[in-house]
Amino acid sequence: MDTTIAVVGGGTMGAGIAQVAATAGHPVLIYDSGEGACARAIASIRLGLDRMASRGKITREQAEKANDCLAPATSLQELACAGLVIEAIVEQLPAKQELFGKLEDIVSPECILASNTSSISITRIAASLRHPQRLVGMHFFNPVPQMELVEVIRGLASDAAVVQCVHDTALAWGKTPVFASSTPGFIVNRLARPYYAEGLRVLNERASQPATLDAVMRESGGFRMGPFELMDLIGHDINFAVTQSVFQACFNDPRFTPSLIQQELVHAGHLGRKTGRGFYHHGPEHVPPPIEDELPCSTPPVALQIFGSHPLVEVIRKRYKKGHVEYHGARADNLLLKAGPGRLYVTEGRTATQQSYDYDMPDVVLVDLALDYATTSRLAVTRSDQCSPRAYQAVAGVLQACSFALSPMDDVPGMIVMRTVCMLINEAADAVNQGVCSAADADMAMQKGLNYPRGPLEWANAIGVDNVVKVLQRLSATYGEDRYRVSPLLQRLQAAKRKFHE
Protein backbone atom coordinates (compact mmCIF):
# COMPACT_ATOMS: atom_id res chain seq x y z
CA MET A 1 0.00 0.00 0.00
CA ASP A 2 2.96 2.35 -0.51
CA THR A 3 1.69 3.61 -3.89
CA THR A 4 0.73 7.26 -3.66
CA ILE A 5 -2.84 8.00 -4.75
CA ALA A 6 -3.62 11.50 -5.99
CA VAL A 7 -7.19 12.78 -6.10
CA VAL A 8 -7.94 15.88 -8.16
CA GLY A 9 -11.12 17.52 -6.94
CA GLY A 10 -11.95 18.16 -3.31
CA GLY A 11 -15.74 18.00 -3.53
CA THR A 12 -17.99 15.33 -2.05
CA MET A 13 -16.88 12.61 -4.46
CA GLY A 14 -13.18 13.50 -4.37
CA ALA A 15 -13.13 13.62 -0.59
CA GLY A 16 -14.92 10.29 -0.40
CA ILE A 17 -12.45 8.64 -2.78
CA ALA A 18 -9.51 10.08 -0.84
CA GLN A 19 -10.99 8.76 2.42
CA VAL A 20 -11.32 5.24 1.02
CA ALA A 21 -7.76 5.25 -0.34
CA ALA A 22 -6.33 6.59 2.93
CA THR A 23 -8.29 4.05 4.98
CA ALA A 24 -6.70 1.35 2.80
CA GLY A 25 -3.29 2.67 3.87
CA HIS A 26 -2.15 4.63 0.81
CA PRO A 27 -0.40 8.00 1.02
CA VAL A 28 -3.04 10.33 -0.48
CA LEU A 29 -2.53 13.74 -2.05
CA ILE A 30 -5.56 15.95 -2.63
CA TYR A 31 -5.49 18.80 -5.12
CA ASP A 32 -8.21 21.33 -5.89
CA SER A 33 -7.73 24.68 -7.58
CA GLY A 34 -10.44 26.28 -5.48
CA GLU A 35 -9.28 28.45 -2.60
CA GLY A 36 -9.47 26.50 0.66
CA ALA A 37 -11.01 23.46 -1.06
CA CYS A 38 -8.25 21.04 -0.03
CA ALA A 39 -8.43 22.09 3.61
CA ARG A 40 -12.20 21.68 3.60
CA ALA A 41 -11.91 18.26 1.98
CA ILE A 42 -9.38 17.02 4.54
CA ALA A 43 -11.47 18.38 7.40
CA SER A 44 -14.51 16.59 5.97
CA ILE A 45 -12.57 13.34 5.63
CA ARG A 46 -11.29 13.53 9.19
CA LEU A 47 -14.82 14.13 10.44
CA GLY A 48 -16.00 11.13 8.45
CA LEU A 49 -13.23 8.94 9.84
CA ASP A 50 -14.08 10.05 13.36
CA ARG A 51 -17.74 9.12 12.83
CA MET A 52 -16.77 5.71 11.47
CA ALA A 53 -14.59 5.09 14.51
CA SER A 54 -17.39 6.23 16.83
CA ARG A 55 -19.76 3.75 15.18
CA GLY A 56 -17.27 0.91 15.35
CA LYS A 57 -16.84 0.69 11.58
CA ILE A 58 -13.08 1.15 12.01
CA THR A 59 -10.84 1.37 15.05
CA ARG A 60 -9.45 4.61 16.44
CA GLU A 61 -6.01 3.44 15.42
CA GLN A 62 -7.18 2.92 11.82
CA ALA A 63 -8.76 6.38 11.80
CA GLU A 64 -5.54 7.97 13.05
CA LYS A 65 -3.44 6.11 10.47
CA ALA A 66 -5.79 7.21 7.69
CA ASN A 67 -5.58 10.79 8.91
CA ASP A 68 -1.80 10.61 8.78
CA CYS A 69 -1.99 9.43 5.14
CA LEU A 70 -3.73 12.62 3.98
CA ALA A 71 -1.90 15.64 2.61
CA PRO A 72 -2.89 18.63 0.49
CA ALA A 73 -1.13 19.48 -2.77
CA THR A 74 -0.74 23.13 -3.68
CA SER A 75 -0.11 22.45 -7.38
CA LEU A 76 -0.50 19.72 -9.96
CA GLN A 77 3.30 19.41 -10.08
CA GLU A 78 3.25 17.95 -6.57
CA LEU A 79 1.37 14.93 -7.96
CA ALA A 80 4.46 13.74 -9.88
CA CYS A 81 5.06 10.94 -7.36
CA ALA A 82 1.59 9.41 -7.76
CA GLY A 83 1.10 5.91 -9.11
CA LEU A 84 -2.64 6.49 -9.65
CA VAL A 85 -4.40 9.81 -10.22
CA ILE A 86 -8.19 9.84 -9.88
CA GLU A 87 -9.99 12.85 -11.36
CA ALA A 88 -13.21 13.96 -9.66
CA ILE A 89 -13.80 17.42 -11.09
CA VAL A 90 -16.73 19.02 -12.90
CA GLU A 91 -18.62 16.84 -15.43
CA GLN A 92 -17.40 18.74 -18.50
CA LEU A 93 -15.41 17.09 -21.28
CA PRO A 94 -13.07 20.07 -22.05
CA ALA A 95 -12.14 20.45 -18.37
CA LYS A 96 -11.29 16.77 -18.03
CA GLN A 97 -9.28 16.67 -21.25
CA GLU A 98 -7.33 19.76 -20.21
CA LEU A 99 -6.55 18.27 -16.79
CA PHE A 100 -5.33 14.93 -18.13
CA GLY A 101 -3.28 16.71 -20.79
CA LYS A 102 -1.45 18.58 -18.05
CA LEU A 103 -1.03 15.45 -15.94
CA GLU A 104 0.64 13.60 -18.82
CA ASP A 105 3.51 16.10 -18.62
CA ILE A 106 3.83 15.71 -14.84
CA VAL A 107 3.39 12.10 -13.77
CA SER A 108 5.60 9.14 -14.66
CA PRO A 109 4.89 7.01 -17.75
CA GLU A 110 3.80 4.18 -15.44
CA CYS A 111 1.21 6.27 -13.61
CA ILE A 112 -2.41 5.25 -14.25
CA LEU A 113 -4.97 7.98 -14.92
CA ALA A 114 -8.59 7.40 -13.90
CA SER A 115 -11.75 9.46 -14.28
CA ASN A 116 -14.66 9.31 -11.87
CA THR A 117 -17.02 10.50 -14.59
CA SER A 118 -20.57 9.18 -14.37
CA SER A 119 -21.55 9.82 -17.97
CA ILE A 120 -18.76 11.11 -20.25
CA SER A 121 -17.16 8.65 -22.67
CA ILE A 122 -13.76 7.41 -21.48
CA THR A 123 -12.81 6.91 -25.11
CA ARG A 124 -13.58 10.55 -25.83
CA ILE A 125 -11.66 11.86 -22.81
CA ALA A 126 -8.63 9.75 -23.76
CA ALA A 127 -8.70 10.75 -27.43
CA SER A 128 -6.79 13.98 -26.74
CA LEU A 129 -3.97 12.23 -24.83
CA ARG A 130 -0.61 11.12 -26.20
CA HIS A 131 -0.93 7.88 -24.25
CA PRO A 132 -4.67 7.10 -24.13
CA GLN A 133 -4.02 3.50 -23.14
CA ARG A 134 -3.39 4.43 -19.51
CA LEU A 135 -6.73 6.19 -18.97
CA VAL A 136 -9.67 4.25 -17.52
CA GLY A 137 -12.92 5.06 -15.81
CA MET A 138 -13.22 4.51 -12.07
CA HIS A 139 -16.80 5.48 -11.26
CA PHE A 140 -17.61 5.51 -7.54
CA PHE A 141 -21.06 6.00 -6.05
CA ASN A 142 -22.12 8.51 -3.44
CA PRO A 143 -21.51 8.35 -0.51
CA VAL A 144 -18.21 6.75 -1.50
CA PRO A 145 -17.17 5.35 1.91
CA GLN A 146 -20.51 3.51 2.26
CA MET A 147 -21.33 2.44 -1.31
CA GLU A 148 -19.58 -0.75 -2.38
CA LEU A 149 -19.83 -0.48 -6.16
CA VAL A 150 -17.12 0.83 -8.48
CA GLU A 151 -17.64 0.73 -12.24
CA VAL A 152 -14.29 0.12 -13.95
CA ILE A 153 -14.74 1.45 -17.48
CA ARG A 154 -12.53 0.52 -20.39
CA GLY A 155 -12.24 2.98 -23.24
CA LEU A 156 -11.45 1.89 -26.77
CA ALA A 157 -7.73 2.53 -26.18
CA SER A 158 -7.52 1.41 -22.54
CA ASP A 159 -4.80 -1.18 -21.93
CA ALA A 160 -6.19 -4.44 -20.53
CA ALA A 161 -3.50 -4.61 -17.86
CA VAL A 162 -4.31 -1.08 -16.71
CA VAL A 163 -8.02 -1.89 -16.51
CA GLN A 164 -7.28 -5.02 -14.49
CA CYS A 165 -4.97 -3.10 -12.15
CA VAL A 166 -7.70 -0.54 -11.40
CA HIS A 167 -10.19 -3.36 -10.83
CA ASP A 168 -7.80 -5.08 -8.42
CA THR A 169 -7.10 -1.80 -6.63
CA ALA A 170 -10.80 -1.19 -6.03
CA LEU A 171 -11.13 -4.76 -4.76
CA ALA A 172 -8.22 -4.23 -2.36
CA TRP A 173 -9.99 -1.13 -1.05
CA GLY A 174 -12.96 -3.27 -0.02
CA LYS A 175 -15.13 -2.27 -2.97
CA THR A 176 -17.09 -4.41 -5.41
CA PRO A 177 -15.72 -3.57 -8.87
CA VAL A 178 -17.52 -4.44 -12.11
CA PHE A 179 -16.20 -4.11 -15.65
CA ALA A 180 -18.02 -1.93 -18.19
CA SER A 181 -17.27 -0.72 -21.67
CA SER A 182 -17.40 2.99 -22.43
CA THR A 183 -21.00 3.32 -23.61
CA PRO A 184 -23.67 5.87 -22.64
CA GLY A 185 -24.57 5.52 -18.97
CA PHE A 186 -22.09 2.66 -18.46
CA ILE A 187 -23.99 0.02 -16.44
CA VAL A 188 -25.97 1.63 -13.62
CA ASN A 189 -27.09 4.88 -15.25
CA ARG A 190 -28.14 2.99 -18.37
CA LEU A 191 -29.88 0.04 -16.76
CA ALA A 192 -31.73 2.25 -14.25
CA ARG A 193 -33.51 4.38 -16.85
CA PRO A 194 -36.62 2.14 -17.06
CA TYR A 195 -37.14 2.38 -13.30
CA TYR A 196 -37.97 6.04 -13.68
CA ALA A 197 -39.35 5.92 -17.22
CA GLU A 198 -42.06 3.31 -16.63
CA GLY A 199 -43.22 4.97 -13.43
CA LEU A 200 -43.50 8.26 -15.29
CA ARG A 201 -45.35 6.57 -18.16
CA VAL A 202 -47.87 4.96 -15.77
CA LEU A 203 -48.34 8.30 -14.01
CA ASN A 204 -48.84 10.03 -17.35
CA GLU A 205 -51.66 7.57 -18.08
CA ARG A 206 -53.23 8.44 -14.72
CA ALA A 207 -53.24 4.86 -13.48
CA SER A 208 -52.55 6.01 -9.91
CA GLN A 209 -50.81 8.68 -7.85
CA PRO A 210 -47.08 8.83 -6.98
CA ALA A 211 -47.55 7.90 -3.32
CA THR A 212 -49.51 4.76 -4.21
CA LEU A 213 -47.16 3.72 -7.01
CA ASP A 214 -44.16 4.25 -4.73
CA ALA A 215 -45.79 2.14 -2.02
CA VAL A 216 -46.44 -0.70 -4.46
CA MET A 217 -42.85 -0.62 -5.74
CA ARG A 218 -41.53 -0.71 -2.16
CA GLU A 219 -43.88 -3.16 -0.52
CA SER A 220 -44.66 -5.44 -3.43
CA GLY A 221 -41.60 -4.97 -5.64
CA GLY A 222 -39.16 -4.96 -2.74
CA PHE A 223 -37.31 -1.83 -3.90
CA ARG A 224 -35.93 0.42 -1.19
CA MET A 225 -37.55 3.52 -2.67
CA GLY A 226 -40.24 4.03 -5.27
CA PRO A 227 -39.38 5.87 -8.49
CA PHE A 228 -41.01 9.18 -7.56
CA GLU A 229 -39.51 9.52 -4.10
CA LEU A 230 -36.16 8.47 -5.54
CA MET A 231 -36.32 11.13 -8.27
CA ASP A 232 -37.18 13.69 -5.60
CA LEU A 233 -34.12 12.58 -3.62
CA ILE A 234 -31.75 12.64 -6.62
CA GLY A 235 -33.08 15.96 -7.89
CA HIS A 236 -35.14 16.28 -11.06
CA ASP A 237 -32.59 18.51 -12.70
CA ILE A 238 -29.92 15.81 -12.31
CA ASN A 239 -32.17 12.86 -13.13
CA PHE A 240 -33.64 14.58 -16.19
CA ALA A 241 -30.19 15.64 -17.41
CA VAL A 242 -28.87 12.06 -17.16
CA THR A 243 -31.89 10.75 -19.08
CA GLN A 244 -31.39 13.41 -21.76
CA SER A 245 -27.69 12.60 -21.96
CA VAL A 246 -28.28 8.86 -22.45
CA PHE A 247 -31.11 9.55 -24.92
CA GLN A 248 -28.97 11.87 -27.04
CA ALA A 249 -25.85 9.69 -26.82
CA CYS A 250 -27.91 6.73 -28.05
CA PHE A 251 -29.08 8.74 -31.08
CA ASN A 252 -32.57 9.33 -29.67
CA ASP A 253 -33.37 5.69 -29.01
CA PRO A 254 -37.06 5.77 -27.91
CA ARG A 255 -36.26 3.44 -25.02
CA PHE A 256 -34.61 6.40 -23.27
CA THR A 257 -37.11 9.13 -24.20
CA PRO A 258 -37.31 11.75 -21.42
CA SER A 259 -40.64 12.49 -19.74
CA LEU A 260 -42.65 15.66 -20.33
CA ILE A 261 -43.87 15.41 -16.72
CA GLN A 262 -40.34 15.58 -15.39
CA GLN A 263 -39.43 18.34 -17.82
CA GLU A 264 -42.30 20.42 -16.46
CA LEU A 265 -41.05 19.94 -12.90
CA VAL A 266 -37.58 21.10 -13.95
CA HIS A 267 -39.01 24.14 -15.76
CA ALA A 268 -41.01 25.03 -12.64
CA GLY A 269 -37.97 24.69 -10.38
CA HIS A 270 -39.65 21.85 -8.47
CA LEU A 271 -36.48 19.80 -8.22
CA GLY A 272 -37.37 17.61 -5.23
CA ARG A 273 -36.04 17.65 -1.70
CA LYS A 274 -33.44 20.34 -2.33
CA THR A 275 -36.11 22.88 -3.33
CA GLY A 276 -38.82 21.61 -1.00
CA ARG A 277 -41.09 20.43 -3.77
CA GLY A 278 -41.09 17.79 -6.51
CA PHE A 279 -43.64 15.02 -6.79
CA TYR A 280 -44.01 15.54 -3.06
CA HIS A 281 -43.88 18.52 -0.74
CA HIS A 282 -40.90 18.29 1.60
CA GLY A 283 -40.39 19.88 4.97
CA PRO A 284 -41.46 19.46 8.59
CA GLU A 285 -44.88 21.03 8.04
CA HIS A 286 -45.94 18.86 5.11
CA VAL A 287 -47.94 15.70 5.68
CA PRO A 288 -47.14 12.76 3.38
CA PRO A 289 -49.92 12.14 0.85
CA PRO A 290 -52.14 9.12 1.53
CA ILE A 291 -51.59 5.74 -0.10
CA GLU A 292 -54.73 4.61 -1.85
CA ASP A 293 -56.07 1.40 -0.30
CA GLU A 294 -59.07 -0.57 -1.47
CA LEU A 295 -61.92 -0.36 1.03
CA PRO A 296 -62.75 -3.62 2.83
CA CYS A 297 -64.80 -5.86 0.57
CA SER A 298 -67.41 -7.34 2.92
CA THR A 299 -68.43 -10.27 0.78
CA PRO A 300 -69.85 -13.51 2.22
CA PRO A 301 -67.65 -16.61 2.12
CA VAL A 302 -67.56 -18.03 -1.37
CA ALA A 303 -66.65 -21.39 -2.78
CA LEU A 304 -63.15 -20.71 -3.97
CA GLN A 305 -61.40 -22.52 -6.78
CA ILE A 306 -57.64 -22.11 -7.08
CA PHE A 307 -55.40 -23.34 -9.87
CA GLY A 308 -51.78 -24.29 -10.47
CA SER A 309 -48.75 -23.79 -8.26
CA HIS A 310 -48.04 -20.07 -8.66
CA PRO A 311 -46.52 -18.59 -5.45
CA LEU A 312 -49.63 -16.47 -4.90
CA VAL A 313 -51.81 -19.57 -5.13
CA GLU A 314 -49.71 -21.24 -2.45
CA VAL A 315 -50.19 -18.22 -0.17
CA ILE A 316 -53.95 -18.26 -0.70
CA ARG A 317 -54.10 -22.00 0.04
CA LYS A 318 -52.45 -21.40 3.41
CA ARG A 319 -54.28 -18.24 4.43
CA TYR A 320 -57.85 -18.36 3.13
CA LYS A 321 -60.16 -19.63 5.88
CA LYS A 322 -63.54 -18.14 4.99
CA GLY A 323 -65.00 -20.86 2.81
CA HIS A 324 -64.51 -24.08 0.96
CA VAL A 325 -61.41 -24.21 -1.22
CA GLU A 326 -61.10 -26.48 -4.23
CA TYR A 327 -57.62 -26.97 -5.67
CA HIS A 328 -57.10 -27.76 -9.33
CA GLY A 329 -54.04 -28.17 -11.54
CA ALA A 330 -52.60 -25.44 -13.73
CA ARG A 331 -54.65 -24.12 -16.63
CA ALA A 332 -53.42 -23.10 -20.04
CA ASP A 333 -54.77 -19.57 -19.56
CA ASN A 334 -52.80 -19.18 -16.26
CA LEU A 335 -55.92 -18.57 -14.20
CA LEU A 336 -55.09 -18.32 -10.49
CA LEU A 337 -58.51 -18.39 -8.88
CA LYS A 338 -62.27 -18.21 -9.33
CA ALA A 339 -64.24 -16.44 -6.63
CA GLY A 340 -67.92 -16.21 -7.50
CA PRO A 341 -68.00 -14.77 -11.02
CA GLY A 342 -64.57 -13.15 -10.65
CA ARG A 343 -61.38 -14.54 -12.12
CA LEU A 344 -57.88 -13.55 -11.01
CA TYR A 345 -54.73 -13.57 -13.14
CA VAL A 346 -51.22 -12.16 -12.73
CA THR A 347 -50.67 -9.43 -15.30
CA GLU A 348 -49.01 -10.65 -18.49
CA GLY A 349 -48.57 -7.28 -20.17
CA ARG A 350 -52.08 -6.78 -21.53
CA THR A 351 -54.72 -4.58 -19.99
CA ALA A 352 -57.40 -6.44 -18.06
CA THR A 353 -59.88 -5.06 -20.57
CA GLN A 354 -57.95 -6.56 -23.48
CA GLN A 355 -57.68 -9.86 -21.63
CA SER A 356 -61.44 -9.89 -21.08
CA TYR A 357 -61.90 -9.34 -24.79
CA ASP A 358 -59.35 -11.98 -25.80
CA TYR A 359 -60.86 -14.61 -23.47
CA ASP A 360 -64.49 -13.55 -24.10
CA MET A 361 -64.79 -13.40 -20.32
CA PRO A 362 -66.11 -10.24 -18.65
CA ASP A 363 -65.03 -10.57 -15.03
CA VAL A 364 -61.24 -10.33 -15.18
CA VAL A 365 -59.15 -9.00 -12.26
CA LEU A 366 -55.37 -8.68 -12.53
CA VAL A 367 -52.76 -8.63 -9.77
CA ASP A 368 -49.27 -7.22 -10.17
CA LEU A 369 -45.91 -8.94 -9.79
CA ALA A 370 -44.41 -9.22 -6.28
CA LEU A 371 -40.88 -10.00 -5.21
CA ASP A 372 -42.23 -12.53 -2.71
CA TYR A 373 -45.97 -13.07 -2.41
CA ALA A 374 -45.47 -14.84 0.92
CA THR A 375 -43.97 -11.81 2.63
CA THR A 376 -45.40 -8.80 0.81
CA SER A 377 -48.00 -6.74 2.62
CA ARG A 378 -49.41 -4.98 -0.45
CA LEU A 379 -50.56 -5.94 -3.94
CA ALA A 380 -51.68 -3.75 -6.82
CA VAL A 381 -54.91 -4.85 -8.51
CA THR A 382 -56.87 -3.71 -11.53
CA ARG A 383 -60.00 -4.90 -13.34
CA SER A 384 -61.36 -4.92 -16.84
CA ASP A 385 -63.91 -2.36 -17.95
CA GLN A 386 -66.29 -5.31 -18.45
CA CYS A 387 -65.84 -6.56 -14.86
CA SER A 388 -68.91 -6.30 -12.61
CA PRO A 389 -68.59 -4.78 -9.14
CA ARG A 390 -69.78 -8.09 -7.66
CA ALA A 391 -67.02 -10.06 -9.39
CA TYR A 392 -64.34 -7.56 -8.39
CA GLN A 393 -65.55 -7.50 -4.78
CA ALA A 394 -65.40 -11.29 -4.60
CA VAL A 395 -61.79 -11.48 -5.81
CA ALA A 396 -60.64 -8.48 -3.78
CA GLY A 397 -62.36 -9.90 -0.70
CA VAL A 398 -60.41 -13.15 -1.00
CA LEU A 399 -57.09 -11.28 -1.27
CA GLN A 400 -57.97 -9.06 1.70
CA ALA A 401 -58.95 -12.14 3.71
CA CYS A 402 -55.41 -13.39 2.99
CA SER A 403 -53.99 -10.27 4.74
CA PHE A 404 -53.04 -8.29 1.62
CA ALA A 405 -53.55 -4.53 1.48
CA LEU A 406 -54.79 -3.76 -2.02
CA SER A 407 -53.86 -0.70 -4.06
CA PRO A 408 -56.31 -0.29 -6.94
CA MET A 409 -54.92 0.95 -10.25
CA ASP A 410 -56.61 2.04 -13.42
CA ASP A 411 -56.24 -0.49 -16.22
CA VAL A 412 -52.83 0.05 -17.85
CA PRO A 413 -50.84 -2.70 -19.57
CA GLY A 414 -48.34 -4.48 -17.33
CA MET A 415 -49.47 -2.50 -14.26
CA ILE A 416 -46.40 -1.04 -12.47
CA VAL A 417 -44.07 -3.65 -10.93
CA MET A 418 -44.32 -6.15 -13.79
CA ARG A 419 -43.70 -3.69 -16.61
CA THR A 420 -40.89 -1.91 -14.75
CA VAL A 421 -39.08 -5.13 -13.87
CA CYS A 422 -39.46 -6.51 -17.40
CA MET A 423 -38.02 -3.32 -18.87
CA LEU A 424 -35.11 -3.45 -16.40
CA ILE A 425 -34.51 -7.04 -17.51
CA ASN A 426 -34.71 -6.04 -21.17
CA GLU A 427 -32.16 -3.25 -20.76
CA ALA A 428 -29.79 -5.48 -18.81
CA ALA A 429 -30.10 -8.19 -21.47
CA ASP A 430 -29.26 -5.67 -24.21
CA ALA A 431 -26.24 -4.43 -22.25
CA VAL A 432 -24.95 -7.99 -21.96
CA ASN A 433 -25.73 -8.72 -25.60
CA GLN A 434 -23.81 -5.61 -26.70
CA GLY A 435 -20.76 -6.40 -24.57
CA VAL A 436 -21.22 -3.53 -22.13
CA CYS A 437 -20.89 -5.92 -19.19
CA SER A 438 -21.34 -9.52 -18.17
CA ALA A 439 -24.64 -10.86 -16.84
CA ALA A 440 -23.10 -11.30 -13.40
CA ASP A 441 -21.77 -7.73 -13.37
CA ALA A 442 -25.13 -6.34 -14.53
CA ASP A 443 -26.86 -7.95 -11.57
CA MET A 444 -24.09 -7.02 -9.15
CA ALA A 445 -24.04 -3.39 -10.29
CA MET A 446 -27.76 -2.86 -9.76
CA GLN A 447 -27.76 -4.51 -6.36
CA LYS A 448 -24.61 -2.83 -5.02
CA GLY A 449 -25.05 0.50 -6.83
CA LEU A 450 -28.78 1.04 -6.34
CA ASN A 451 -29.74 -1.47 -3.63
CA TYR A 452 -32.14 -3.35 -5.91
CA PRO A 453 -33.68 -6.34 -4.09
CA ARG A 454 -32.62 -8.66 -6.90
CA GLY A 455 -30.46 -8.27 -9.99
CA PRO A 456 -32.54 -7.73 -13.15
CA LEU A 457 -31.35 -10.95 -14.77
CA GLU A 458 -32.02 -12.86 -11.55
CA TRP A 459 -35.54 -11.41 -11.81
CA ALA A 460 -35.76 -12.83 -15.35
CA ASN A 461 -34.94 -16.30 -14.06
CA ALA A 462 -37.52 -15.97 -11.28
CA ILE A 463 -40.31 -14.75 -13.57
CA GLY A 464 -39.28 -16.96 -16.47
CA VAL A 465 -37.64 -15.67 -19.63
CA ASP A 466 -40.65 -16.80 -21.68
CA ASN A 467 -43.01 -14.75 -19.49
CA VAL A 468 -40.76 -11.68 -19.70
CA VAL A 469 -40.74 -11.86 -23.50
CA LYS A 470 -44.53 -12.15 -23.59
CA VAL A 471 -44.97 -9.11 -21.35
CA LEU A 472 -42.64 -7.03 -23.54
CA GLN A 473 -44.33 -8.20 -26.74
CA ARG A 474 -47.73 -7.23 -25.40
CA LEU A 475 -46.49 -3.83 -24.27
CA SER A 476 -45.06 -3.33 -27.74
CA ALA A 477 -48.32 -4.39 -29.36
CA THR A 478 -50.34 -2.04 -27.15
CA TYR A 479 -48.19 1.04 -27.65
CA GLY A 480 -46.81 0.34 -31.10
CA GLU A 481 -43.46 1.75 -30.02
CA ASP A 482 -39.90 0.58 -30.57
CA ARG A 483 -39.38 1.44 -26.89
CA TYR A 484 -40.62 -2.05 -25.96
CA ARG A 485 -38.68 -4.07 -28.54
CA VAL A 486 -37.44 -7.35 -27.11
CA SER A 487 -33.70 -7.80 -26.66
CA PRO A 488 -32.24 -10.34 -29.11
CA LEU A 489 -30.58 -12.07 -26.16
CA LEU A 490 -33.94 -12.61 -24.45
CA GLN A 491 -35.37 -14.01 -27.65
CA ARG A 492 -32.41 -16.33 -28.01
CA LEU A 493 -32.69 -17.61 -24.43
CA GLN A 494 -36.43 -18.08 -24.89
CA ALA A 495 -35.90 -20.17 -28.01
CA ALA A 496 -33.20 -22.25 -26.30
CA LYS A 497 -35.30 -22.60 -23.11
CA ARG A 498 -32.37 -21.36 -21.09
CA LYS A 499 -31.84 -19.00 -18.16
CA PHE A 500 -29.27 -16.34 -17.41
CA HIS A 501 -26.08 -17.36 -15.59
CA GLU A 502 -26.25 -20.89 -17.05
Side-chain angles (χ1 to χ4, degrees), residues 80-91:
C81 61
L84 169 65
V85 180
I86 304 173
E87 165 271 312
I89 64 171
V90 63
E91 277 287 276

Side-chain angles (χ1 to χ4, degrees), residues 5-334:
I5 307 298
V7 179
V8 181
T12 301
M13 293 301 292
I17 295 167
Q19 179 176 327
V20 168
T23 304
H26 290 275
V28 178
L29 293 170
I30 304 175
Y31 173 77
D32 192 300
S33 60
E35 185 177 352
C38 286
R40 289 192 296 272
I42 291 175
S44 171
I45 294 168
R46 287 177 173 158
L47 180 61
L49 291 168
D50 183 65
R51 287 173 178 167
M52 290 179 70
S54 298
R55 295 170 184 170
K57 302 292 184 182
I58 58 175
T59 65
R60 284 290 173 188
E61 183 182 5
Q62 287 173 315
E64 290 171 6
K65 285 183 177 179
N67 275 325
D68 292 341
C69 289
L70 297 167
T74 58
S75 69
L76 285 177
Q77 282 69 27
E78 293 181 34
L79 309 185
C81 61
L84 169 65
V85 180
I86 304 173
E87 165 271 312
I89 64 171
V90 63
E91 277 287 276
Q92 294 175 3
L93 176 64
K96 293 181 187 295
Q97 288 181 323
E98 181 183 2
L99 171 64
F100 285 119
K102 291 178 179 177
L103 287 170
E104 272 199 309
D105 295 329
I106 296 169
V107 298
S108 71
E110 295 76 28
C111 179
I112 294 173
L113 304 177
S115 174
N116 182 54
T117 180
S118 61
S119 61
I120 299 174
S121 165
I122 297 300
T123 299
R124 197 171 178 190
I125 296 172
S128 64
L129 301 181
R130 297 192 305 277
H131 303 288
Q133 66 274 11
R134 62 170 167 171
L135 178 71
V136 297
M138 198 176 187
H139 180 212
F140 293 82
F141 289 76
N142 192 34
V144 177
Q146 282 77 49
M147 296 298 287
E148 293 183 37
L149 187 70
V150 177
E151 291 179 320
V152 179
I153 304 128
R154 54 187 178 271
L156 198 60
S158 299
D159 184 89
V162 171
V163 174
Q164 187 64 51
C165 181
V166 168
H167 175 279
D168 294 346
T169 298
L171 193 63
W173 292 356
K175 298 300 184 182
T176 301
V178 292
F179 291 111
S181 62
S182 184
T183 54
F186 311 138
I187 303 176
V188 171
N189 277 329
R190 172 179 173 169
L191 270 56
R193 294 346 297 159
Y195 192 70
Y196 315 110
E198 293 309 306
L200 288 162
R201 173 66 71 95
V202 170
L203 180 65
N204 192 53
E205 294 179 24
R206 300 185 296 174
S208 189
Q209 295 302 309
T212 301
L213 294 171
D214 278 343
V216 171
M217 292 300 289
R218 287 194 312 269
E219 297 176 42
S220 188
F223 293 91
R224 185 164 294 185
M225 299 182 75
F228 304 100
E229 57 187 336
L230 182 54
M231 284 184 279
D232 269 14
L233 175 64
I234 295 168
H236 291 285
D237 52 341
I238 295 170
N239 189 263
F240 185 68
V242 171
T243 300
Q244 280 188 307
S245 174
V246 174
F247 178 61
Q248 292 163 6
C250 290
F251 304 110
N252 296 356
D253 186 331
R255 188 172 287 169
F256 306 111
T257 302
S259 167
L260 291 173
I261 291 177
Q262 193 171 42
Q263 179 177 260
E264 284 291 281
L265 289 174
V266 173
H267 287 170
H270 299 165
L271 306 182
R273 289 191 183 184
K274 60 187 173 185
T275 61
R277 183 175 178 184
F279 284 112
Y280 300 98
H281 290 278
H282 300 276
E285 298 179 2
H286 293 295
V287 178
I291 298 166
E292 187 176 2
D293 283 326
E294 187 59 76
L295 295 174
C297 297
S298 55
T299 56
V302 295
L304 181 65
Q305 294 178 290
I306 56 178
F307 302 85
S309 58
H310 188 276
L312 180 55
V313 169
E314 296 304 313
V315 173
I316 294 169
R317 287 182 70 179
K318 293 177 180 178
R319 296 184 186 176
Y320 190 71
K321 307 294 184 184
K322 293 183 67 176
H324 177 64
V325 179
E326 296 179 4
Y327 177 71
H328 303 271
R331 289 172 42 132
D333 63 356
N334 295 321

